[in-house]
Amino acid sequence: QVQLVESGGGLVQAGGSLRLSCAASGRTNDIYRLGWFRQAPGKGREFVASISWIGSAPAYADSVKGRFTISRDAAKITVYLQMNSLKSEDTAVYYCAVWRPGVNDVDYWGQGTQVTVSS
């Protein structure tokens, strides 16, 4: 099992910035890729960004390209999501996610952290 704990959510005005963190523990050798999803009220969970644990290779949803940056700290076993130029439509619960090697679906989820952008 891999345990994921997110932090860094909160309330911010439109145009502002937040940085989310997700610390992993447990069977971290199982980690192939880490990422973030989000779920707005009344909507399904959607992909935001992901990064390979080895070699980086970030990927982003079109809706956040140029505004969000995903990074990871191997020593701290932590993945970050720097969110700039936030918009009201970015309001959602943000979930950290882990993929194992050779598996297309997310294997582990964090508990989620709320991000609210006021206009």
Side-chain angles (χ1 to χ4, degrees), residues 15-35:
S17 299
L18 279 176
R19 189 177 82 153
L20 304 183
S21 300
C22 173
S25 61
R27 295 176 58 111
T28 55
N29 286 339
D30 283 353
I31 297 174
Y32 170 68
R33 196 166 182 88
L34 297 101

Side-chain angles (χ1 to χ4, degrees), residues 1 18-19 48 56 66 75 82 91 104 110:
Q1 292 283 337
L18 279 176
R19 189 177 82 153
V48 176
S56 185
Q82 177 66 43
T91 295
N104 290 327

Side-chain angles (χ1 to χ4, degrees), residues 24 28 31 34 52-55 71-80:
T28 55
I31 297 174
L34 297 101
S52 296
W53 190 239
I54 298 175
S71 61
R72 83 272 189 270
D73 184 326
K76 295 181 179 179
I77 319 180
T78 298
V79 63
Y80 304 96

Side-chain angles (χ1 to χ4, degrees), residues 8 16 18 35 39 55 62-63 65 70 78 83 88 91 96 109-110 113:
L18 279 176
Q39 187 165 16
D62 288 343
S63 58
K65 280 181 182 177
I70 190 169
T78 298
M83 305 185 294
S88 57
T91 295
C96 184
W109 294 96
T113 185

Side-chain angles (χ1 to χ4, degrees), residues 83-107:
M83 305 185 294
N84 299 329
S85 302
L86 282 161
K87 306 174 182 179
S88 57
E89 51 262 46
D90 294 318
T91 295
V93 177
Y94 284 70
Y95 295 92
C96 184
V98 162
W99 290 261
R100 290 184 295 158
V103 178
N104 290 327
D105 295 332
V106 171
D107 286 290

